[in-house]
Amino acid sequence: MLKEGQLLSLSESYPAGLILQKPYYAEYIGPGSAVGGMFDLQCVTIHPLGKAELSTPETLDERQNAFQRRMEDIEQMQLICEKDLPIERAVAVLEMLTQHFYQDEIQMIPNEVLAKLVGVLPSTMATAWKQLSTGGHKSHTTSQSSAPEPNFASHEVAFA
């Protein structure tokens, strides 16, 4: 689907996100953001968070809004990546994700993938999880899960 270059957008109807794993890095995609097109041809796996529904933006306005949201997601991740210490970047990305998604749902995503979001080692991400759990961080504690699909992690991605 993404390797074909089709432009889609993640629905804003449900709290959802996608982590797109590329060969050397990963990207977080939030609700309303553009997915696919020329941006995601090298996507290796998709890790959905929440109930991810994809649709095709039909009008010019819908496409522009989806691209704008994608740029906002990139800028948000860039701010996290500007932190000097790797542990600060790891904790910051986990805090950002736990504001929107259940912690046990995020923990289903391998530390290797989460680490690629902010340029840290997987062991740094494991330390960040420990730091969050001992720091009294408030987060969601339940999850909706379904059987994994090939090339997708833990949840379904629906097409509208």
Side-chain angles (χ1 to χ4, degrees):
M1 152 195 79
L2 295 184
K3 294 184 186 262
E4 295 170 7
Q6 181 181 3
L7 180 65
L8 303 167
S9 67
L10 186 59
S11 174
E12 294 183 77
S13 300
Y14 304 100
L18 298 173
I19 296 177
L20 304 180
Q21 183 179 356
K22 311 281 178 88
Y24 303 106
Y25 65 99
E27 283 187 68
Y28 170 74
I29 309 300
S33 294
V35 181
M38 64 181 188
F39 306 109
D40 300 318
L41 293 173
Q42 294 185 347
C43 185
V44 177
T45 56
I46 300 172
H47 301 271
L49 294 164
K51 184 177 179 179
E53 248 184 44
L54 297 172
S55 61
T56 304
E58 300 292 335
T59 67
L60 177 61
D61 280 346
E62 288 175 346
R63 287 190 295 275
Q64 286 178 334
N65 289 338
F67 286 129
Q68 180 62 36
R69 294 298 291 267
R70 178 81 179 247
M71 289 172 50
E72 291 168 6
D73 294 337
I74 292 168
E75 290 168 358
Q76 181 180 23
M77 219 31 80
Q78 183 176 350
L79 289 173
I80 292 172
C81 288
E82 288 175 358
K83 296 182 181 298
D84 289 331
L85 298 176
I87 191 66
E88 290 178 352
R89 295 194 302 272
V91 168
V93 75
L94 292 179
E95 286 175 340
M96 185 270 299
L97 290 171
T98 57
Q99 288 175 1
H100 304 288
F101 307 105
Y102 295 113
Q103 183 172 330
D104 60 340
E105 186 176 27
I106 300 164
Q107 287 175 322
M108 292 176 73
I109 298 171
N111 282 338
E112 292 79 17
V113 175
L114 293 171
K116 286 182 177 184
L117 286 170
V118 291
V120 301
L121 296 172
S123 58
T124 304
M125 195 58 64
T127 302
W129 277 117
K130 290 177 188 171
Q131 187 172 328
L132 279 181
S133 67
T134 59
H137 178 77
K138 292 183 179 180
S139 63
H140 301 287
T141 56
T142 61
S143 173
Q144 303 167 346
S145 63
S146 60
E149 296 181 22
N151 294 330
F152 292 86
S154 75
H155 290 75
E156 295 180 16
V157 178
F159 296 91

